[in-house]
Amino acid sequence: MQNMVDAFGAVTWWGFTPHISLRNEDKTSCLQVSDGGTDMWTALLVGCGDCRHILKTISKAWTEPKRHYTFYIIENNLEVLARDMLLLYLVLEPPDRFGLQEKTEMFLEIFGNLLIREQTSKYIASVATDFIKMVTDLDHMAEVFPLFDLSALKFKERDQLEAIFKFWRNPDKAVFDASKMWDNRLRAHLQTRYDSRIGAYDWDYNMKLTERGGGVVHKAEYTSWRNTGVAFEMREGSYITPNKTLASGLIIKSGGEKVAKRGYWGDIICSPFLAFGIESSNKELFKKANGVYTKTATDVSEYNILSCLHELIRHEKYHPSMTKKKSGKEEAVLTEIMEETGKNELETEHDREINGRNKKGGEKTECESGILELENVKIVFLPIGTAGEIHKRSKYHSLFDVVYFSNSMVHHLTPEMQRVMRDGASVICETAKFMLDLKKEQCQEYVSKVTGMATKAGCKVRDPCDGLKDNFMRFRFSSAVTDKT
């Protein structure tokens, strides 16, 4: 058990399943309708570890302009909530500050790299200063970044968020020696295999990751991440600055006493490629030549983030620009260059046209800070530890159309949780497919155990699930089942 903790970590910085649109999981449930005739769709996410499902879901929100989306988030660590704020703030930066390509690359850099570029670190510090003003003044936050609602958090938790943001902007690199902390984690996990760690990475890659459907992750990028903690290197530059957003505190035993220690306490075996880099609607990314994938997980991740950002901002389906090969080199088409610079006059006119349509539709405007505002989306942070208590609050009874559990917090799927589920609600639980240190039979046993838990909570199996082939278990809650029991 301790060895698995050493591998997966105590903090879930990224999910171990691909990103999905939660709205697509819920097409059959009955939605609430507000006084203004707007459909109210509400989801509870327990332990996701990142904002991947939120990003995918809201990127499709333009297809249902009369629907209001509300996400309630429960995590075990405030640092995870802080990263959600940062990444979605970056997503909503206006086009005149960041082109889509630059935004995509910085998103992945912050998301999955233990070491980042200096300019990225400066951006984090700058945003952290803004966040400090927001968490200490919720009225100010409502004006400049209304996407998030922190009013449910305890005062102590908001103080802790402030401390996290102050740590992010601390210019002293020595306060978080990321490379040393990563190496310490490797030594603790591999022990006697440390000196032959490349062989250990190779075994995990070939015998576990590729066998379970992660073959598009290239061996070289997986090995590089396992060795350094840097997953995405898409731009030329020096990735040498510690990514302080991946730092967190942990209570550990030292000399027989419990002490708080800051370090990197996340995953060192599964990889951040799983969240955005192993599945996509663009099947061209999974072509093979001589039995080998022609694209990598970095390519897939880049496409998926770029398509989400495009749909979120442009309100149209993303069609990737084709590249032409001349003299063995790739030449980007003009539209791709225009998008990256964000300064071309034609793009500016297009942005004005899009923004004009959005304002007329009441879906997207601009906040005082310049951040794009999604008027039909709200993200509510709930206090740490709420998962076991939420059913006691009448305001949450029969509220949620979708309830999502990560595999690290699925133990909260108890009979009491049915109180917060609307009749017909979708219940989605992660499988242990990509928990690489688990044996195959353990992955299957996990599915059986969670299915039993869901049944006791009044849920029926929607689709048969194979613990080694499927990423999610899907259930449908029925109050009729509950009434019979």
Side-chain angles (χ1 to χ4, degrees):
M1 180 64 71
Q2 183 59 44
N3 195 48
M4 281 193 282
V5 173
D6 290 336
F8 302 137
V11 181
T12 306
W13 291 124
W14 41 75
F16 300 133
T17 55
H19 68 313
I20 57 173
S21 172
L22 297 175
R23 173 65 188 130
N24 288 345
E25 300 287 334
D26 185 53
K27 292 297 186 182
T28 61
S29 70
C30 298
L31 300 177
Q32 289 184 340
V33 180
S34 68
D35 295 336
T38 301
D39 291 334
M40 309 297 290
W41 182 89
T42 310
L44 173 65
L45 281 64
V46 184
C48 275
D50 58 33
C51 60
R52 67 193 187 283
H53 300 319
I54 296 176
L55 178 59
K56 180 69 173 179
T57 305
I58 64 176
S59 72
K60 301 292 184 181
W62 63 274
T63 63
E64 299 179 300
K66 291 185 178 181
R67 179 151 293 126
H68 189 280
Y69 297 78
T70 305
F71 301 86
Y72 287 79
I73 312 298
I74 300 176
E75 294 288 353
N76 275 333
N77 299 87
L78 288 168
E79 290 89 350
V80 175
L81 299 181
R83 270 171 55 93
D84 286 349
M85 286 181 62
L86 172 65
L87 290 170
L88 290 174
Y89 190 90
L90 171 62
V91 163
L92 296 176
E93 287 277 14
D96 59 343
R97 293 186 196 171
F98 287 92
L100 292 185
Q101 185 66 33
E102 183 183 3
K103 192 183 291 186
T104 297
E105 293 172 359
M106 184 175 286
F107 182 100
L108 290 172
E109 186 179 348
I110 295 171
F111 178 78
N113 286 5
L114 191 64
L115 298 172
I116 55 180
R117 296 170 297 154
E118 182 64 28
Q119 55 264 48
T120 303
S121 180
K122 290 179 179 178
Y123 173 77
I124 294 172
S126 174
V127 173
T129 299
D130 295 335
F131 282 174
I132 290 171
K133 298 176 184 177
M134 295 181 198
V135 298
T136 55
D137 185 351
L138 296 187
D139 291 335
H140 173 67
M141 186 173 193
E143 295 175 356
V144 299
F145 197 22
L147 177 66
F148 284 95
D149 181 353
L150 275 58
S151 61
L153 293 180
K154 300 174 183 177
F155 287 109
K156 180 180 179 181
E157 291 171 329
R158 285 166 50 192
D159 290 341
Q160 290 172 338
L161 277 175
E162 181 185 1
I164 291 168
F165 297 138
K166 286 182 177 179
F167 174 75
W168 284 4
R169 68 178 188 178
N170 186 339
D172 186 3
K173 298 179 182 179
V175 298
F176 182 55
D177 191 342
S179 295
K180 182 179 179 180
M181 292 173 181
W182 183 268
D183 188 67
N184 289 341
R185 289 288 310 285
L186 289 178
R187 290 177 183 273
H189 172 59
L190 297 172
Q191 298 179 359
T192 57
R193 296 182 296 157
Y194 178 80
D195 290 334
S196 56
R197 57 190 178 280
I198 301 301
Y201 305 156
D202 184 73
W203 175 269
D204 289 338
Y205 175 78
N206 288 295
M207 304 306 294
K208 298 179 181 179
L209 183 61
T210 56
E211 273 197 5
R212 299 186 187 185
V216 72
V217 181
H218 197 278
K219 180 180 177 181
E221 61 185 349
Y222 178 74
T223 300
S224 176
W225 173 77
R226 285 289 301 269
N227 219 28
T228 65
V230 177
F232 304 103
E233 294 185 73
M234 293 168 292
R235 280 182 179 253
E236 292 185 6
S238 299
Y239 292 81
I240 58 175
T241 305
N243 183 357
K244 293 190 179 75
T245 72
L246 291 176
S248 63
L250 187 68
I251 304 297
I252 62 173
K253 287 186 177 181
S254 179
E257 296 183 359
K258 292 183 179 181
V259 295
K261 187 175 181 180
R262 178 182 283 122
Y264 174 78
W265 305 114
D267 166 45
I268 61 169
I269 183 172
C270 299
S271 85
F273 299 118
L274 300 176
F276 296 103
I278 60 172
E279 289 188 1
S280 177
S281 59
N282 183 6
K283 302 309 175 185
E284 296 292 313
L285 296 168
F286 300 95
K287 286 186 174 181
K288 293 183 178 181
N290 299 319
V292 179
Y293 287 99
T294 58
K295 300 294 184 181
T296 67
T298 298
D299 297 322
V300 178
S301 299
E302 185 176 358
Y303 172 87
N304 283 334
I305 296 297
L306 189 58
S307 63
C308 284
L309 298 185
H310 179 91
E311 289 198 52
L312 187 64
I313 294 173
R314 305 288 190 192
H315 288 189
E316 62 185 13
K317 191 170 179 59
Y318 177 66
H319 297 287
S321 300
M322 300 298 293
T323 55
K324 299 178 181 180
K325 290 190 175 182
K326 293 185 178 181
S327 304
K329 297 182 179 179
E330 286 191 350
E331 183 184 73
V333 295
L334 178 61
T335 55
E336 200 171 302
I337 298 173
M338 288 161 48
E339 180 180 68
E340 182 171 346
T341 60
K343 295 180 181 179
N344 187 284
E345 289 183 7
L346 293 175
E347 185 188 30
T348 302
E349 290 298 323
H350 181 60
D351 287 338
R352 289 172 182 167
E353 181 182 348
I354 292 293
N355 288 336
R357 290 204 302 267
N358 290 337
K359 289 178 180 179
K360 289 177 183 179
E363 295 173 5
K364 176 158 63 67
T365 57
E366 199 169 277
C367 308
E368 288 189 9
S369 60
I371 294 295
L372 299 176
E373 181 181 359
L374 303 178
E375 294 186 345
N376 62 332
V377 180
K378 181 67 70 174
I379 299 173
V380 182
F381 286 163
L382 296 180
I384 302 301
T386 303
E389 304 290 329
I390 190 171
H391 65 274
K392 298 178 182 179
R393 302 289 300 276
S394 60
K395 64 185 290 187
Y396 300 120
H397 288 179
S398 301
L399 178 63
F400 300 109
D401 299 288
V402 173
V403 181
Y404 181 99
F405 293 94
S406 69
N407 49 35
S408 63
M409 294 185 69
V410 73
H411 56 280
H412 290 295
L413 178 54
T414 61
E416 291 76 20
M417 283 297 289
Q418 61 189 266
R419 297 180 190 174
V420 305
M421 302 176 193
R422 188 171 299 155
D423 189 29
S426 294
V427 178
I428 307 167
C429 302
E430 296 176 355
T431 65
K433 175 182 175 181
F434 286 110
M435 305 301 285
L436 300 185
D437 263 11
L438 293 182
K439 298 177 181 179
K440 294 180 180 180
E441 54 270 25
Q442 289 177 309
C443 294
Q444 299 290 17
E445 290 172 3
Y446 174 81
V447 171
S448 299
K449 184 175 181 179
V450 173
T451 300
M453 295 168 62
T455 300
K456 291 180 181 179
C459 301
K460 292 183 178 180
V461 175
R462 277 176 48 193
D463 305 299
C465 178
D466 186 317
L468 294 174
K469 294 181 180 179
D470 299 312
N471 297 308
F472 304 99
M473 292 169 273
R474 293 174 168 87
F475 307 95
R476 180 76 66 191
F477 172 70
S478 173
S479 58
V481 175
T482 307
D483 294 338
K484 289 180 182 179
T485 57

